[in-house]
């Protein structure tokens, strides 16, 4: 869910400007899943632009505190959200941990890195929501460790319906600074694409696993 339309449009504008998001409706990317996609999103790029990352961390922190007050801990999802999660935690003067996709097979075999006490209130920070499975896997690990996970905030979501359903099954609130709908609005307003290209971009989200140009 996007809470602030102006912030959503501004976030989309910035992500396009620094090429953290690339749109190629007629020369689609191929994802690791094999899907053809007119969009590629790599929000790690934001860390290389101080003005952009400062805007994003402040907006995440502002919305996080408005929703949940100050939690005990901020958790980032490895690896994409470690950087932005740490920035948010530092801005809010809160402890930070991060969650791996699975436990290490050596050393202390941690899946959660950092100090977490049972019962602590945790808000999870993500960089990108696609299917939601990896994000919710991190939530599951935190809950197994005894954390009280209050919700999740992310920079961007593709807004897939099956991702929405996955979060509903977990009964977890998801808030994003921006999403695919606001991105397309921004790209349209800025005149980046012709009308037929905009229609291609819109059609992808309806059936991403079978989409092709």
């Amino acid at each position: 869910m996007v809470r602030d339309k102006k912030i959503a449009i501004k976030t989309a504008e910035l992500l396009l400007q620094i090429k953290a998001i690339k749109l190629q409706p007629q020369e689609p990317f191929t994802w690791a899943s094999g899907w053809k996609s007119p969009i590629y999103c790599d929000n790690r790029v934001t860390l290389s632009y101080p003005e952009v990352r400062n805007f994003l961390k402040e907006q995440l922190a502002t919305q996080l505190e408005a929703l949940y007050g100050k939690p005990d801990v901020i958790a980032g999802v490895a690896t994409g959200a470690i950087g932005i999660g740490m920035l948010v935690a530092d801005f809010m003067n809160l402890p930070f941990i991060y969650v791996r996709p699975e436990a290490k097979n050596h050393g202390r075999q941690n899946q959660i890195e950092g100090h977490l006490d049972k019962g602590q209130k945790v808000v999870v920070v993500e960089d990108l929501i696609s299917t939601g499975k990896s994000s919710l896997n991190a939530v599951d690990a935190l809950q197994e460790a005894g954390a009280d996970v209050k919700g999740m905030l992310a920079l961007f979501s593709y807004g897939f319906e099956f991702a929405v359903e996955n979060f509903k099954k977990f009964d977890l609130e998801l808030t994003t600074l921006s999403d695919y709908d606001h991105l397309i609005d921004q790209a349209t307003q800025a005149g980046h694409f012709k009308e037929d290209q905009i229609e291609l971009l819109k059609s992808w989200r309806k059936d991403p696993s079978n989409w092709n140009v």
Side-chain angles (χ1 to χ4, degrees):
M1 179 183 72
V2 167
R3 297 186 76 243
D4 189 318
K5 183 175 179 64
K6 288 183 179 179
I7 296 300
I9 291 291
K10 180 65 175 177
T11 298
E13 178 186 4
L14 291 172
L15 295 178
L16 284 168
Q17 280 180 1
I18 64 172
K19 295 183 171 56
I21 288 179
K22 294 182 180 180
L23 292 171
Q24 296 180 188
Q26 291 173 316
E27 296 179 35
F29 301 94
T30 301
W31 287 4
S33 62
W35 288 6
K36 295 294 183 181
S37 169
I39 181 173
Y40 191 82
C41 182
D42 180 6
N43 287 329
R44 295 176 181 84
V45 174
T46 62
L47 301 176
S48 298
Y49 295 84
E51 288 186 9
V52 175
R53 74 183 186 219
N54 286 338
F55 171 82
L56 296 174
K57 78 175 180 186
E58 289 172 18
Q59 294 305 321
L60 284 171
T62 297
Q63 293 193 23
L64 189 158
E65 191 160 4
L67 286 165
Y68 307 110
K70 273 202 169 186
D72 299 312
V73 180
I74 300 295
V77 181
T79 60
I82 293 176
I84 192 66
M86 180 64 230
L87 287 169
V88 171
D90 187 59
F91 185 76
M92 299 182 74
N93 195 31
L94 290 171
F96 177 74
I97 59 177
Y98 70 87
V99 188
R100 298 175 180 275
E102 57 188 23
K104 292 190 297 184
N105 59 10
H106 61 280
R108 294 189 296 164
Q109 300 182 331
N110 292 339
Q111 183 172 4
I112 298 171
E113 298 288 3
H115 181 77
L116 175 68
D117 289 325
K118 287 185 178 180
Q120 284 191 305
K121 296 176 183 177
V122 177
V123 175
V124 182
V125 172
E126 258 287 26
D127 65 322
L128 174 66
I129 304 295
S130 180
T131 65
K133 289 183 178 179
S134 60
S135 307
L136 291 169
N137 178 61
V139 172
D140 189 50
L142 289 164
Q143 291 176 336
E144 284 288 322
D148 178 10
V149 181
K150 309 307 291 186
M152 182 181 297
L153 281 88
L155 293 178
F156 188 82
S157 169
Y158 294 126
F160 295 140
E161 187 58 36
F162 45 81
V164 173
E165 292 303 315
N166 286 335
F167 275 86
K168 282 182 181 177
K169 289 175 186 176
F170 249 76
D171 193 26
L172 189 77
E173 184 176 37
L174 170 66
T175 302
T176 64
L177 290 191
S178 192
D179 60 16
Y180 193 73
D181 287 337
H182 289 87
L183 176 74
I184 300 307
D185 285 349
Q186 169 57 26
T188 303
Q189 290 174 23
H192 292 317
F193 299 100
K194 297 177 182 177
E195 188 173 339
D196 61 331
Q197 294 174 311
I198 293 294
E199 289 307 311
L200 270 178
L201 290 167
K202 289 179 177 179
S203 69
W204 169 74
R205 229 264 308 272
K206 296 175 184 175
D207 189 11
S209 61
N210 296 309
W211 183 88
N212 208 340
V213 293

